[in-house]
Amino acid sequence: MREQFAPLGAAVSDGAFFGGRAFKYHGLQFAWVMGSTLYLRVNDATRAGFEAEGAAPFSYETKKGTVLVRKFYTAPEFLLDDPGQMLVWARKAIDAAE
């Protein structure tokens, strides 16, 4: 995944994050990978666009039920095959993190 964010420059860093990998831009976390799934940061302005593409919020199970983390959504599938669009959506995620 790091190579897909490489065009964003040296400001991108990554590191271990709860069993996955976190990606930061100038220290702001804009994405993470858990298992084989990429999640991008969203905000109120970008969430609808993610949902329109079938993206879902990050979720995990607890004894009390499912917890939705609505700040991070799955990356739409088409991004994985389109490096140009991946950068467009990564920039949206960076903006959402600011």
Side-chain angles (χ1 to χ4, degrees):
M1 188 53 52
R2 176 106 168 100
E3 62 277 355
Q4 291 187 301
F5 295 136
L8 295 170
V12 174
S13 61
D14 66 301
F17 181 76
F18 293 111
R21 210 89 199 133
F23 293 88
K24 297 179 180 182
Y25 185 80
H26 289 291
L28 296 172
Q29 187 172 341
F30 70 94
W32 78 50
V33 174
M34 295 297 269
S36 61
T37 304
L38 171 65
Y39 295 88
L40 296 172
R41 180 76 182 246
V42 302
N43 60 18
D44 291 340
T46 60
R47 187 173 290 108
F50 278 78
E51 290 173 346
E53 292 295 338
F58 176 75
S59 65
Y60 61 94
E61 296 297 322
T62 69
K63 291 179 183 178
K64 295 182 179 183
T66 302
V67 175
L68 298 179
V69 180
R70 294 185 45 82
K71 289 184 180 185
F72 285 89
Y73 271 60
T74 54
E77 288 291 321
F78 73 90
L79 296 182
L80 302 176
D81 296 323
D82 189 335
Q85 282 298 304
M86 176 64 85
L87 290 178
V88 169
W89 286 65
R91 287 186 180 103
K92 291 178 186 183
I94 290 166
D95 290 345
E98 294 180 327

